[in-house]
Amino acid sequence: MRGVVYVSEALVYFDKMALESLAAEAAALNFDRGITGYLYFEKDRFVQYVEGDDDIIDELMETIRRDKRHRVLHTVVEHDLKERRFPSWHMRQLHRKELLDVKLEHLLTDYLVYLDSKVDTEDDPADDEDLESKYPTLIWGMVNRLSDLRGKLGAY
Ligand SMILES: Cc1cc2nc3c(=O)[nH]c(=O)nc-3n(C[C@H](O)[C@H](O)[C@H](O)COP(=O)(O)O)c2cc1C
């Protein structure tokens, strides 16, 4: 299995209703394909985590990248995911108030945006990989922490 987390920038206006219908549509589509994860939106940025079979996740990420409603800034992939982190969330929309205790998504968003700014300024693409390989523990540690806390957040 594969786990992917990315940050993107909204290119159209998303109000509460639009976000809810995006997450509901995604959850219905994901349910059929065994994709699980969560979606968070704040300050015009999405952070989404998806997990599932390799081919299915690759295909989903292609579709998501092509979606003109946003621009994907940075993606981090975990290639050999052994166990789902969010087995019961087909696409849970997380809300800010739920995360006040956790504050993890801010860290994760800021970190992925930071990585993206580095990538833009580095001349050698190999350096980008270097940078990512130094921090996977941190990134996946944050995602795992949220997985541990999902009991508190409740089922979708
Ligand atoms: C931020 C964001 C997250 C999305 N997440 C998913 C998702 O988890 N699953 C999904 O099927 N589509 C998701 N979509 C919608 C897809 O981009 C696409 O519109 C949808 O899968 C329908 O694809 P199709 O028109 O090729 O059938 C997301 C779109 C956005 C903007």
Side-chain angles (χ1 to χ4, degrees):
M1 278 195 300
R2 195 160 289 181
V4 178
V5 63
Y6 72 82
V7 63
S8 72
E9 180 183 56
L11 299 177
V12 299
Y13 178 68
F14 279 91
D15 62 11
K16 200 165 172 277
M17 284 256 292
L19 282 171
E20 275 170 18
S21 66
L22 175 69
E25 186 203 15
L29 291 166
N30 292 349
F31 188 84
D32 293 339
R33 288 173 294 165
I35 297 166
T36 47
Y38 65 83
L39 181 68
Y40 183 69
F41 181 80
E42 188 173 358
K43 293 189 206 142
D44 286 341
R45 285 195 184 120
F46 287 103
V47 174
Q48 187 175 26
Y49 169 77
V50 292
E51 59 191 7
D53 290 341
D54 294 1
D55 292 355
I56 303 246
I57 293 298
D58 288 350
E59 199 182 310
L60 173 67
M61 287 311 298
E62 274 300 306
T63 307
I64 286 177
R65 277 179 186 287
R66 278 199 308 265
D67 197 315
K68 298 214 163 22
R69 292 174 288 180
H70 71 160
R71 183 169 68 97
V72 174
L73 299 175
H74 201 86
T75 305
V76 180
V77 182
E78 185 177 25
H79 288 279
D80 197 17
L81 180 68
K82 301 279 183 237
E83 197 183 326
R84 285 179 194 268
R85 295 183 169 93
F86 303 95
S88 63
W89 291 2
H90 284 282
M91 196 41 59
R92 168 84 138 80
Q93 192 197 339
L94 293 176
H95 297 94
R96 189 164 193 272
K97 61 177 170 357
E98 295 175 297
L99 294 171
L100 282 179
D101 291 344
V102 188
K103 297 230 169 82
L104 284 172
E105 293 315 284
H106 302 276
L107 285 174
L108 191 50
T109 310
D110 289 349
Y111 182 68
L112 290 169
V113 169
Y114 163 75
L115 272 183
D116 185 58
S117 72
K118 287 288 180 197
V119 169
D120 286 343
T121 54
E122 302 280 356
D123 293 327
D124 182 358
D127 289 344
D128 304 344
E129 300 205 3
D130 240 34
L131 197 69
E132 280 176 25
S133 65
K134 280 187 203 150
Y135 296 102
T137 323
L138 180 65
I139 293 178
W140 297 116
M142 286 191 265
V143 177
N144 282 334
R145 178 104 178 88
L146 188 55
S147 167
D148 292 342
L149 289 165
R150 70 187 188 281
K152 274 195 192 155
L153 296 167
Y156 180 66

